Amino acid sequence: SGYEYIERRFGPFARLYGSAMFLLLQIGRVGLILVLLSLPLKLLTGWSQTHSILLCGAFTTCYVLFGGFTAVLWADVIQTCILALGGVFCAGLICYELPGGLSTIIEVGRQADKFGVPPLLPSGEPLGAAFVQLTLVVLVLHGLFNQMLYLSGDQTVIQRYLATRTDREARKGLWIGVLGMTAAVMFFTFLGTCLYVYYARMPDAAVASLPADEVFPHFILTRLPSGMVGLVVAGLMAAAMSSIDSSLSAITMVFQIDIYRRHLVKHRPDAHYLRAAKLTTLAAGAVMTFGALGLTTVPAKTLLDLMFLVYAVFAGGIAALFLLGMLSRRATAAGVNVGIMVSLPVSLYLTCSHFGWLLPSALRCPTHPYLIAAIVNTSLLITAYGASLIFRRKQGRLSAPDGLTVWTPHSE
């Protein structure tokens, strides 16, 4: 796993911390995706959301369990193609049915500020308000630390790097993934604007009472030709399942390598660890499924808001560990351990402040919740680096082993 690198740089405690935070993050993430996956299935079949979640959770767990990582990779490829085709078809249909087509979407979208961004700073308010409201500053900081975590410290991505034959292929895959993800996010947010304009110009009484997350599934089931409904619903479900299967595979790998084999049960034959991995996949699937059922009761404006919050709360300094490991030869294990012990209460305090747990209102921090990860990572970075410098003065020069940072041994 990627957290083996963290141990080589900063010792077993940092590795255990990074692995544990990753597992918490992924359990929350896959639970949310499973809730999202259940929405089109619920509308399509008439089942309850509980039954839809149980079915989706069981099916995804089974094909990861029996197919392994090869199934995850090839299923992701096929599902991505289906998702892209379904999305393009929906956007094309909206442009075809709307009077004025694409020009109407752009005109109405501009009038409704659908192509704008939040202000850099709140107008007429003090500078501190930029970190309390949903401003461009908040979104940029959230996105920066989120993507640093995703591309450097997320096992769901690391396992893809490791599946390539050479470093060159891994780099190529990284760039294809980044550019493809950027295009996909831009396209599907544009598709959301298309839906907004469509129902603004062609009102539907049923849409007014629907949660925002159910508008697209409603459009699919009521506006698409019958032959295309299955394809587009399959595309939506495929996108969600491709994320779930990757996360399940990564959860199993990290728990097996970083916790089970490293701390709980050592020196057993491979057959034992294979059986344990299958049981871990089943257990993770069950936790994911029942966690999704619990998340259906959490109040949130949209599932996207809830997803941002999960990443903010559970990102927990993972990005900072990898940044310190790769970019500084001065960072030491002792300093990083101090940084972890400081960042944990910071994360707990900011989370309790947001949810109103345990703290009176006078002691709560008014920071926007999307900034929790940025603040926790920054606190770990600064504290760990500062403590490392202090320990270096007391214990003499300590530097990273060769080959574990991007700098040469003589850079510092």
Side-chain angles (χ1 to χ4, degrees), residues 131-132 298-301 305-306 308-310 312-313 346-361 363-372:
F131 302 98
V132 178
V298 177
K301 189 176 180 181
D305 291 318
L306 202 53
F308 282 168
L309 183 59
V310 165
V313 170
V346 170
S347 178
L348 182 63
Y349 168 68
L350 293 174
T351 303
C352 290
S353 292
H354 172 69
F355 288 104
W357 297 337
L358 304 174
L359 297 171
S361 56
L363 295 180
R364 295 173 192 166
C365 178
T367 304
H368 195 281
Y370 289 4
L371 284 179
I372 293 176

Side-chain angles (χ1 to χ4, degrees), residues 29 61 131 176 199 260 263 293 375:
R29 175 176 178 265
T61 301
F131 302 98
I176 292 172
Y199 285 115
Y260 188 76
H263 298 286
L293 293 174
I375 295 172

Side-chain angles (χ1 to χ4, degrees), residues 389-396:
L389 295 180
I390 294 173
F391 286 124
R392 281 166 62 94
R393 292 194 191 99
K394 291 182 177 180
Q395 300 175 9

Side-chain angles (χ1 to χ4, degrees), residues 9-37:
R9 277 294 280 116
F10 302 125
F13 178 71
R15 176 182 180 179
L16 183 62
Y17 170 78
S19 303
M21 294 307 298
F22 171 79
L23 291 174
L24 289 174
L25 173 63
Q26 289 304 311
I27 288 170
R29 175 176 178 265
V30 294
L32 278 170
I33 296 173
L34 193 56
V35 174
L36 183 64
L37 178 57

Side-chain angles (χ1 to χ4, degrees), residues 14-90:
R15 176 182 180 179
L16 183 62
Y17 170 78
S19 303
M21 294 307 298
F22 171 79
L23 291 174
L24 289 174
L25 173 63
Q26 289 304 311
I27 288 170
R29 175 176 178 265
V30 294
L32 278 170
I33 296 173
L34 193 56
V35 174
L36 183 64
L37 178 57
S38 70
L39 295 179
L41 192 61
K42 178 183 72 170
L43 294 176
L44 181 65
T45 63
W47 296 345
S48 68
Q49 189 166 24
T50 298
H51 289 149
S52 300
I53 288 173
L54 290 173
L55 177 65
C56 293
F59 178 75
T60 307
T61 301
C62 284
Y63 90 69
V64 174
L65 180 66
F66 294 112
F69 190 56
T70 300
V72 170
L73 284 176
W74 283 108
D76 283 359
V77 172
I78 297 169
Q79 289 162 344
T80 300
C81 295
I82 296 173
L83 173 68
L85 288 173
V88 169
F89 181 84
C90 288

